[in-house]
């Protein structure tokens, strides 16, 4: 878990992120009304991911988006994963506050 301190990891866990692979990866599922909202959410994530030059692994289902974050070249979690996870949570809250 290079770079992510236990406080940050606890914050992510409290926000629904799962800690996987002995702390080397985080994962969260986001639910939506339909496929369009799922795709729009991924489009919302893309500028933030590009700005950090850090891109998530993503699975899209009809009304679900599953996001996994790790820093592959560091072999685990870093501050980039924490920052992007927090931003993704903010985007989700904005998108679903209107539902």
């Amino acid at each position: 878990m290079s770079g992510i301190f236990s406080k940050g990891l606890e914050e992510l866990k409290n926000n629904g992120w799962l800690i996987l692979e002995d702390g080397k990866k985080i994962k969260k599922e986001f639910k939506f009304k339909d496929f369009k909202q799922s795709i729009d959410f991924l489009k919302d994530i893309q500028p933030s991911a590009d700005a950090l030059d850090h891109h998530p692994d993503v699975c899209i289902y009809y009304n679900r988006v599953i996001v996994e974050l790790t820093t592959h070249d560091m072999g685990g979690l870093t501050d980039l994963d924490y920052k992007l996870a927090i931003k993704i949570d903010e985007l989700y809250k904005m998108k679903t506050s209107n539902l």
Side-chain angles (χ1 to χ4, degrees):
M1 272 182 288
S2 59
I4 290 188
F5 299 101
S6 59
K7 182 179 177 185
L9 204 54
E10 281 302 311
E11 179 183 357
L12 294 177
K13 285 171 62 176
N14 290 338
N15 287 334
W17 289 89
L18 302 174
I19 313 304
L20 306 174
E21 297 179 16
D22 294 323
K24 293 182 179 179
K25 182 186 286 189
I26 55 176
K27 176 180 179 178
K28 186 170 180 179
E29 180 176 316
F30 299 89
K31 296 185 180 181
F32 298 94
K33 184 177 73 174
D34 56 27
F35 187 67
K36 182 180 182 329
Q37 283 187 347
S38 295
I39 293 295
D40 287 345
F41 182 60
L42 185 55
K43 289 178 183 177
D44 291 342
I45 293 171
Q46 182 260 324
S48 297
D50 284 348
L52 289 171
D53 194 25
H54 192 62
H55 301 91
D57 294 327
V58 179
C59 287
I60 300 175
Y61 298 93
Y62 174 75
N63 64 340
R64 297 181 295 140
V65 175
I66 298 173
V67 176
E68 293 184 354
L69 292 168
T70 190
T71 303
H72 297 284
D73 58 348
M74 296 298 289
L77 296 172
T78 67
D79 288 336
L80 288 172
D81 301 296
Y82 173 78
K83 289 175 185 176
L84 188 53
I86 294 298
K87 184 61 179 175
I88 290 170
D89 282 340
E90 290 171 2
L91 292 167
Y92 182 71
K93 286 177 188 169
M94 288 187 325
K95 183 163 272 324
T96 58
S97 66
N98 299 329
L99 299 179

